[in-house]
Amino acid sequence: MVEDTASVATLYRTYLTPLGIDINIVVNGHDAIESLNHRIPDLILLDLRLPDMTGMDVLEIVKKTHPDVPVIFMTAHGSIETAVEAMRLGAQDFLIKPCEADQLRITVNTAMRKAEKLKTDVGNPKNHRYQGFIGSSQNMQSVYRVIDSAASSKASIFITGESGTGKEVCAEAIHAASNRRSNPFIAINCAAIPKDLIESELFGHVKGAFTGASTDRQGAAEMADGGTLFLDEICEMDLDLQTKLLRFIQTGTFQKVGSSKMKSVDVRFVCATNRDPWTEVQEGRFREDLYYRLYVIPLHLPPLRERGEDIIEIAYSLLGFMSNEEGKAFNHLSPPVVERFISYEWPGNVRQLQNVLRNVVVLNTGKEITLEMLPPPINSIDIQSASVLRGEAEAPQSDPVIFTEQDILPLWESEKATIERAIEACEGNIPKAARLLEVSPSTLYRKLQSWEQRKEVN
């Protein structure tokens, strides 16, 4: 316990006596950090304001040197911003002083139980799994800690990460680790549902609300009552619907399409996007007030190329499953394949790794996967070219291009030309062009429609 007020430290020690734990009290940040050189605690109770430094400073140092030690903040100067920042830096929980005895005991007991569970899940070299995830890299352990810390809260979680990094797996992990786990987890993909249907999918509709509405229908919000509502690709949501979603988040109430009756539900919001949500706000595609409502606890999933040896762990797990499913005997990756997997950039992340392994297992036989079995493009990229892609080796220099004012086009024209070239290169396959441009198909359809309308006006 890091607490500079002796009377408070004594009181909290008394509160925790029934737990039968050994409590070492220090009065400043320097002593707290120094004590770690002699004994690693199971838990740190840390005051935010200390005589020599802030609790945030202590937390940052602790997480660099002993990332697995759980930390609970205690402060009389709490705010949601401070809580979010503490959890971003790795805090397990956050308490506002003065603490009631039961509240302190429950929080400490829960934190120590979670820490023990995390050691079981990711500390055993034979079991690098956590709530559906595979891997024990430092990047992923940071993700696991945020999930464990935030799962029991009702605070909204905003997951960001490239396509294929496992954002829905992350949302399911948050639900599974929460006290809502016995209630529904409902996911809705905002990019996959047409604009005129997504409100009905989210809130439901009554019979006769529109053509084809032959019966009353529950929406995702109602089905998720008591559980978790996951809004995937939320930055693709239409601005008009964003307004209704904001009202739903603020009040917990909504109206079915075609109904005047309000319904009330209790849901926990988790959302995700492969874009930068703040950029979407600045460019007018995402409401700023909705951003602040949802972006309470940010959680970023690292791309596969930044996860080191996790790539091989995931590959072996997928290989075992796919070999069994396809009735094949594959059980080993050759050393050159291991090297290629680690050096490759994996722009499609875990989803691309799945596709590569599925291709190999279906089209080949044997026990060991070799380089010759790998499909393009991974079969034709060597270590040197992968290094060039990462900027680790110099690319060939070309003569400089002189760019003048006459060469400048309006941004929409440049964007239009790029999109049209991409669609042409993909032989008119818009979903494929969207994937290569790293946007959703609905974005391309919307832009093509707006350009067509512009042409008609002119």
Side-chain angles (χ1 to χ4, degrees):
M1 185 187 301
V2 189
E3 171 60 63
D4 62 318
T5 305
S7 59
V8 173
T10 302
L11 178 64
Y12 288 169
R13 183 201 287 272
T14 303
Y15 285 170
L16 295 172
T17 298
L19 297 183
I21 54 179
D22 180 23
I23 302 173
N24 178 34
I25 298 173
V26 296
V27 297
N28 58 53
H30 177 270
D31 289 351
I33 295 164
E34 177 64 25
S35 70
L36 296 178
N37 295 324
H38 308 292
R39 185 183 181 190
I40 307 301
D42 296 309
L43 177 70
I44 297 176
L45 289 170
L46 178 61
D47 194 14
L48 181 61
R49 295 195 174 184
L50 298 169
D52 56 343
M53 61 178 76
T54 69
M56 289 292 193
D57 294 330
V58 176
L59 175 65
E60 198 163 2
I61 293 169
V62 168
K63 287 302 171 184
K64 284 179 180 176
T65 57
H66 300 84
D68 296 328
V69 176
V71 178
I72 294 177
F73 261 94
M74 302 186 302
T75 178
H77 310 278
S79 67
I80 189 63
E81 292 83 5
T82 308
V84 170
E85 179 64 12
M87 293 175 73
R88 188 186 68 80
L89 291 174
Q92 180 95 332
D93 212 333
F94 193 90
L95 287 169
I96 305 298
K97 296 195 295 186
C99 299
E100 297 292 335
D102 286 344
Q103 181 189 23
L104 182 61
R105 280 195 289 267
I106 290 169
T107 303
V108 168
N109 198 35
T110 300
M112 294 181 74
R113 182 168 45 80
K114 283 183 177 180
E116 188 60 36
K117 180 179 182 297
L118 187 59
K119 288 178 185 177
T120 302
D121 284 339
V122 302
N124 183 348
K126 295 181 180 179
N127 181 23
H128 291 164
R129 293 173 179 266
Y130 174 85
Q131 301 283 12
F133 284 107
I134 300 169
S136 56
S137 63
Q138 282 297 108
N139 281 341
M140 290 308 296
Q141 293 216 30
S142 297
V143 170
Y144 303 155
R145 281 192 292 271
V146 173
I147 292 173
D148 258 349
S149 298
S152 60
S153 167
K154 195 184 174 182
S156 299
I157 297 180
F158 207 124
I159 307 167
T160 56
E162 297 177 8
S163 293
T165 48
K167 295 187 286 294
E168 185 161 354
V169 173
C170 184
E172 290 174 347
I174 292 165
H175 177 74
S178 74
N179 52 13
R180 295 171 175 259
R181 68 181 70 89
S182 58
N183 294 318
F185 172 86
I186 304 297
I188 183 169
N189 188 320
C190 302
I193 302 169
K195 173 184 173 181
D196 54 344
L197 293 180
I198 191 168
E199 183 177 358
S200 172
E201 290 292 320
L202 183 58
F203 297 128
H205 62 253
V206 297
K207 180 179 179 180
F210 50 84
T211 303
S214 56
T215 60
D216 287 1
R217 185 180 184 279
Q218 280 190 327
E222 191 171 359
M223 289 189 286
D225 192 15
T228 301
L229 178 60
F230 175 51
L231 301 171
D232 198 7
E233 302 300 347
I234 190 168
C235 289
E236 297 294 331
M237 183 178 283
D238 182 74
L239 282 168
D240 290 339
L241 187 55
Q242 288 180 30
T243 304
K244 296 180 180 180
L245 176 62
L246 177 64
R247 190 181 309 118
F248 173 41
I249 295 169
Q250 289 172 328
T251 65
T253 61
F254 65 91
Q255 288 175 292
K256 287 186 173 184
V257 177
S259 172
S260 59
K261 185 178 178 182
M262 300 297 295
K263 292 191 71 72
S264 178
V265 293
D266 170 30
V267 299
R268 200 269 180 87
F269 294 94
V270 179
C271 55
T273 182
N274 60 6
R275 301 183 180 189
D276 179 348
W278 182 242
T279 298
E280 296 300 299
V281 170
Q282 292 176 312
E283 295 186 2
R285 293 187 291 266
F286 197 68
R287 290 183 59 109
E288 186 172 1
D289 45 7
L290 180 59
Y291 169 86
Y292 286 120
R293 276 285 177 179
L294 291 173
Y295 204 82
V296 179
I297 299 176
L299 179 54
H300 181 71
L301 293 183
L304 189 58
R305 61 184 171 273
E306 295 178 6
R307 293 180 56 183
E309 295 293 330
D310 285 0
I311 297 170
I312 307 306
E313 289 185 42
I314 296 169
Y316 268 111
S317 177
L318 292 171
L319 182 61
F321 171 78
M322 291 176 183
S323 293
N324 181 65
E325 190 174 60
E326 300 290 343
K328 298 294 183 74
F330 286 109
N331 60 14
H332 190 65
L333 305 176
S334 69
V337 168
V338 170
E339 187 177 0
R340 180 66 55 85
F341 276 14
I342 291 177
S343 65
Y344 184 58
E345 287 291 293
W346 297 109
N349 294 294
V350 177
R351 190 176 296 124
Q352 184 184 8
L353 177 58
Q354 288 176 319
N355 292 342
V356 166
L357 290 171
R358 178 71 71 179
N359 178 287
V360 171
V361 171
V362 170
L363 299 181
N364 299 275
T365 56
K367 291 188 176 182
E368 182 179 74
I369 293 180
T370 63
L371 280 178
E372 294 73 25
M373 297 177 181
L374 299 179
I378 189 173
N379 63 345
S380 59
I381 294 183
D382 57 23
I383 304 304
Q384 182 179 358
S385 60
S387 298
V388 170
L389 285 172
R390 290 192 297 267
E392 297 170 2
E394 291 188 5
Q397 296 296 315
S398 59
D399 294 333
V401 177
I402 299 173
F403 193 76
T404 66
E405 289 184 9
Q406 286 71 33
D407 297 313
I408 300 175
L409 293 173
L411 185 59
W412 73 269
E413 287 189 17
S414 301
E415 183 182 51
K416 181 173 182 287
T418 299
I419 290 173
E420 287 176 343
R421 284 198 299 269
I423 293 173
E424 183 180 356
C426 295
E427 300 178 339
N429 187 328
I430 291 178
K432 182 179 180 181
R435 178 173 57 81
L436 294 173
L437 289 168
E438 297 186 357
V439 297
S440 74
S442 62
T443 297
L444 294 195
Y445 286 120
R446 188 167 62 246
K447 289 182 181 295
L448 291 169
Q449 184 180 21
S450 69
W451 294 328
E452 190 64 31
Q453 290 170 348
R454 183 191 292 262
K455 186 191 300 183
E456 291 173 1
V457 170
N458 294 336

